[in-house]
Every structure is written in C-alpha cells, then in structure tokens.
Amino acid sequence: MGRISWRRFVSAYLAVAGLAILCAIVTGYPVQAEEGQATWHELKADGTWMQDGQITKEYTTRYYTIMLPKAGYLSIEARALGEGQQFGFLDENLNVINGINTVLWGASQAMPKSKAWAHWLEAGTYYVRVYQYDRKSTGSFWLKASFKEAQNQEKEPNQTYEQAMALPMSQKLRGLLSVQDQNDYYSFQITKRQRVTIRAICYFSGLHLRLLNRDLKDVSGEKRVDAVTWGGSLEVPKIYENDFELEPGTYYIYLGAYSGYLTDRGLYDLEIFPTKVSVSSITLSKSTLSLYRGDSAGLQASVLPQNATNPAIKWSSDQPKIATVNADGRVRGLKAGTATIRAKSTDGSDITMTCKVTVKNKTMKVDRSKVTLYKGKKITVKVTADPAGKISYTSSNPNIATVSSKGKITAKKKGSCTVTVKGNGLVRRIKVTVKNPTLSVGKAKVTLKEKASYKIKASAAPKGTVKYRSSNAKVAKVSKTGKVTARKKGTCKITVEANGVKKVIQVKVVKK
C-alpha cells in the first residue's frame, strides 16, 4: 500500500470526477465531485476481509487495486460502518463496470450495511473505489475479494469470425463469456461429406448458438438455438446437442450470451465430433462350434453398419472352465461339456450374438493290449482315433519285434518287448511275446516191409504247411500228407519241414 503520486492523483481525480458525473446521469445518484485526497491500496482476492478502511474529511476517497493474472470469477463484498459511503467497481480505465456505484445508506458501527457483486472477468487490473457521497459521510468500511480461475482454453480475442479460434475435431474446449466478452467465434474444417455432432454445455443462464458456413450464412436450420436453455448453472449445466450433415468446407460456430445483463455470463464447453453411429447387428462366422479338449478355433464377428463409430466387440464365455475366448474371438476347449460364447457391442447399443460350443475329449482305441507271435510272423495293430490324426508306433526292443509307421509288428526273435502307440495326446501299450516255431514228427526211425506204409504224425506250431521229401523215392516215397510207402529193400531219409524247422526220419525197408 502507498499514496499515489500527485501527478497520478490529479489524473485519477479528474477521471473520477468525470466518472462521477457520468454515474450520476446513468444511475440517478446525485454524486458530488471529490474534494479530499485519495489513497491507493492493494486488495488481494484471497477471500479475507480488509477491515481497516476509513473515509475521513482529509481522505475522502480510497482506491483498491485487484490484479487478476487469469480470467475467472471475481466476487466482491463491501460492508459499510459509516453513513453514506459509496462503493464503485471500476475497470483498468477507471470506468464503472455494470453500473456498480452503490451508496449504502443508514450504516453505522452498530448496524453495518453490506453489498456484494460477482462477475466473470478477463485477466487484468480492476479497482474498488470507496468515497463519501457527501462531505458529511465518514466512517470505516470493510472489503473482501474472492477469485476462482476459469481455466478456459479459448484464445482471446475471438469475438469476430476473422478472429475465430480453430476448433479441433473431437476435442472438448472450455470457453468463457465474460463482462468484456459478448460472444465467441470458432472455426472448423470438413474435408469430406460427413455427419457431425455439435455439443455445447452451458454453465450459466443462457447461450446463443448458430452454425455458419464460409459465406456466414446460417445453416443451423431448425436446429438453430436462441438459447441453449434457461437456468443453467455450474452445478446443473444445460446441454445443447445436434447432428448436421455437412459438405466439405469451412464452418463457423457462433456463441453469444443470451442475456444483455453482464451478470449473465459464464463458462461453457464446446465440442464437435463425428456423429456416433451405433451398432445395429452382429453376425458370427459360426452359430455352433465343436472342439476337442485342448484345441482352439477362431470366431469372426461382422458388425453392421460398416461405418459404426465403435465397432469393437467384447467376447465372453458363460462357462470359462469348459471353454474360454480371448479378445480376438479365439475359443479354446478346456474340458468336456457345453458353453455359450457371447459377442457383445461396446458402444452402449448392447447388441449381442452367441455361439454354442461343445467340447469333447479326444479318444484313441487299440484293438489289443497283448500279442504272441512266432518268429518271422507279422500282425498289424488296428487303431481307432477321434479325431483322426497322426499315430506313432515304437518298439522297446526292435531286436525282438519291430513295428512300422502303420502299426505292422514283425517278430524277430524269441523274447518279449512293448510296442507303444501314441495319438491325440494319449498313450497305449501292447505287450509282444515272440516264440520260436516248433515241429514234432513222432518216431525218428521207422522199419517197414516192402509195400507197407506209415503215416507221419507231424505237429507244427504255429500251424502251417508241412512239407515232406524222401531222399530215395525208390526205397520209400512220401505223399504230401506225410504217408510213407515202402517200395524195396534199402534205407532212406524222410525230411519233414514246417515254419523253417526241419526234422529227419530214418526209414529202413526190409523184405517181406
């Protein structure tokens, strides 16, 4: 705080004297020119009372400077404890704002009188002036100023279309209509024919909104609004929202205060964005799906209309222990059973489509669990698998028995081993026993008289073809069935063969 220099005082005095005459004309108050001295002080807008103000015969006028670094809402409260004190609210040029130049009559120490004002203001310097209404008006007074920053993003000045501020698509902007700001202009570009939505949220009594083309022709049509609504407030704002089908070009949005009262100003939000197109239907690539446990398959979702603003789909399963689905629609079977997979829109339209999923266990059946083979013999294992797929075979000891890629087991030598069959994640085992083939022929020596016969009792394991051969058919011959017929005196050998095993019978033929 400090006293004003004489040069500044004289200048301010003349300005205030002129202002007082003007206020007398505007307000009807018979304001008298100030004759005493004026002092200048600072009033901080921190919501605390300044309680040491005095109007005296020597100092008839007090000025209080309020510095606002940013735009916002300034509230001023004056409390007079002396008769006939006059309070004025001035701009940086010492002009009265909104006719605020009020005399508080009948005030005293015992019965103070109060008055409050509040306005949305741009950043700058403001003054509260307190002076005596007449030469007898003296006494003390209090002052309090409170400030709330607007936090608006608009760039001043933007009061004409030439000054229009560019409004990015899909970006909400906080604007302010203040005491110094009757209207605002914004511009935006449309590069192709499209439908856009304009949304304005009004936090005060009322707001004009018009949409203009590059020729400044109003294209709002029936959607033009002379007031967003009445009765908006910071606590309960009012919303204007409409869609417009626009051709490519430059457009302007005009916003203006509905009321001429400077107290009817305030904050608004403005946003332009592509009009939301809701999902109307979802089609799935399959309505039913069959899976084996451990396998997966993909579902594709088609959304209509194709220009839906948010075509994203949320997938879910009602039985996640049976089948799960990921964010891309891929379904995985976990255990046997049924589950329903849902594809749901995420844009608020709640469109849903379902697919019924059946999960089955994989199976593999082998036609035997053990097999006995004679050396050199072969057998093919029969395998049934669901689903059909690759089956693998291995032998625990290929020296005893081998197995081919198609399940053919070949006995190699006497012994035992295990053939393992694998498929569909399952394992089956076959015990393989390999035996050597046997052949018995009964008597090893036979004596026959001429023209007599003998039946060889051949027994082969495994059963198979038995072959017979005589070393001297003139002495004794043998038939295919093993019948030996003696022909003349002498000796010979009958060889019996089956399954690779040979036996020899000594035959002696004697005279009758």
Side-chain angles (χ1 to χ4, degrees), residues 166-214:
L167 181 64
M169 189 72 70
S170 302
Q171 181 175 318
K172 183 186 290 185
L173 181 141
R174 169 66 53 94
L176 170 67
L177 291 180
S178 66
V179 167
Q180 298 93 338
D181 192 3
Q182 177 69 21
N183 56 264
D184 290 330
Y185 275 87
Y186 296 90
S187 66
F188 62 92
Q189 300 285 330
I190 297 295
T191 58
K192 62 180 179 179
R193 179 183 176 88
Q194 71 178 112
R195 195 171 186 83
V196 299
T197 299
I198 296 177
R199 177 188 295 153
I201 304 176
C202 181
Y203 297 93
F204 60 100
S205 60
L207 186 71
H208 288 286
L209 186 148
R210 297 177 187 174
L211 178 62
L212 311 174
N213 63 16
R214 63 181 303 167

Side-chain angles (χ1 to χ4, degrees), residues 154-167 173 183-189 212 216 250-254:
E154 65 172 310
K155 295 181 180 178
E156 295 286 356
N158 63 332
Q159 280 74 50
T160 67
Y161 78 94
E162 294 98 335
Q163 301 168 326
M165 177 180 174
L167 181 64
L173 181 141
N183 56 264
D184 290 330
Y185 275 87
Y186 296 90
S187 66
F188 62 92
Q189 300 285 330
L212 311 174
L216 301 185
T250 300
Y251 293 86
Y252 299 94
I253 297 175
Y254 165 86

Side-chain angles (χ1 to χ4, degrees), residues 304-341:
L304 289 178
Q306 293 182 350
N307 65 335
T309 303
N310 178 11
I313 295 298
K314 181 179 180 181
W315 297 89
S316 64
S317 170
D318 70 338
Q319 296 291 336
K321 291 184 178 180
I322 293 175
T324 60
V325 60
N326 67 12
D328 297 322
R330 190 146 196 92
V331 182
R332 179 173 294 278
L334 299 183
K335 74 174 186 178
T338 59
T340 298
I341 302 299

Side-chain angles (χ1 to χ4, degrees), residues 148-386:
K148 180 179 180 181
E149 185 181 329
Q151 296 183 334
N152 55 315
Q153 292 99 29
E154 65 172 310
K155 295 181 180 178
E156 295 286 356
N158 63 332
Q159 280 74 50
T160 67
Y161 78 94
E162 294 98 335
Q163 301 168 326
M165 177 180 174
L167 181 64
M169 189 72 70
S170 302
Q171 181 175 318
K172 183 186 290 185
L173 181 141
R174 169 66 53 94
L176 170 67
L177 291 180
S178 66
V179 167
Q180 298 93 338
D181 192 3
Q182 177 69 21
N183 56 264
D184 290 330
Y185 275 87
Y186 296 90
S187 66
F188 62 92
Q189 300 285 330
I190 297 295
T191 58
K192 62 180 179 179
R193 179 183 176 88
Q194 71 178 112
R195 195 171 186 83
V196 299
T197 299
I198 296 177
R199 177 188 295 153
I201 304 176
C202 181
Y203 297 93
F204 60 100
S205 60
L207 186 71
H208 288 286
L209 186 148
R210 297 177 187 174
L211 178 62
L212 311 174
N213 63 16
R214 63 181 303 167
D215 299 323
L216 301 185
K217 179 181 178 181
D218 191 332
V219 294
S220 307
E222 294 180 355
K223 299 174 182 177
R224 170 180 172 177
V225 62
D226 286 331
V228 168
T229 186
W230 285 107
S233 66
L234 287 171
E235 294 76 19
V236 185
K238 301 299 181 180
I239 300 175
Y240 165 87
E241 184 174 310
N242 262 313
D243 302 338
F244 297 89
E245 191 76 31
L246 299 180
E247 300 293 338
T250 300
Y251 293 86
Y252 299 94
I253 297 175
Y254 165 86
L255 295 176
Y258 184 84
S259 169
Y261 294 106
L262 296 182
T263 52
D264 292 335
R265 298 288 190 273
L267 296 170
Y268 60 83
D269 290 330
L270 182 62
E271 184 179 8
I272 180 171
F273 50 88
T275 300
K276 179 181 177 181
V277 179
S278 298
V279 173
S280 61
S281 68
I282 299 174
T283 303
L284 296 183
S285 55
K286 294 181 180 179
S287 58
T288 60
L289 180 63
S290 181
L291 285 176
Y292 291 96
R293 179 182 176 183
D295 288 350
S296 64
L299 289 175
Q300 289 78 43
S302 300
V303 171
L304 289 178
Q306 293 182 350
N307 65 335
T309 303
N310 178 11
I313 295 298
K314 181 179 180 181
W315 297 89
S316 64
S317 170
D318 70 338
Q319 296 291 336
K321 291 184 178 180
I322 293 175
T324 60
V325 60
N326 67 12
D328 297 322
R330 190 146 196 92
V331 182
R332 179 173 294 278
L334 299 183
K335 74 174 186 178
T338 59
T340 298
I341 302 299
R342 286 184 171 84
K344 184 178 179 181
S345 61
T346 59
D347 66 346
S349 58
D350 292 333
I351 303 298
T352 303
M353 187 56 67
T354 61
C355 174
K356 184 178 180 181
V357 177
T358 301
V359 181
K360 300 185 294 183
N361 287 323
K362 294 180 179 180
T363 62
M364 184 183 70
K365 296 180 180 179
V366 180
D367 65 343
R368 64 194 68 219
S369 61
K370 60 183 179 179
V371 63
T372 298
L373 291 176
Y374 287 93
K375 178 182 177 181
K377 293 300 181 180
K378 301 177 181 180
I379 191 172
T380 298
V381 178
K382 294 182 179 179
V383 178
T384 303
D386 185 16

Side-chain angles (χ1 to χ4, degrees), residues 472-496:
N472 192 340
K474 292 181 178 181
V475 174
K477 65 178 182 179
V478 62
S479 70
K480 292 180 179 181
T481 61
K483 183 179 179 181
V484 180
T485 302
R487 301 183 77 178
K488 72 174 183 177
K489 182 180 176 181
T491 60
C492 69
K493 296 178 181 180
I494 301 297
T495 301
V496 183

Side-chain angles (χ1 to χ4, degrees), residues 371-377 400 411-416 432-438 461-462:
V371 63
T372 298
L373 291 176
Y374 287 93
K375 178 182 177 181
K377 293 300 181 180
I400 294 174
K412 293 294 185 178
K413 75 173 185 178
K414 183 179 180 180
S416 61
V432 179
T433 302
V434 178
K435 297 181 178 180
N436 287 326
T438 61

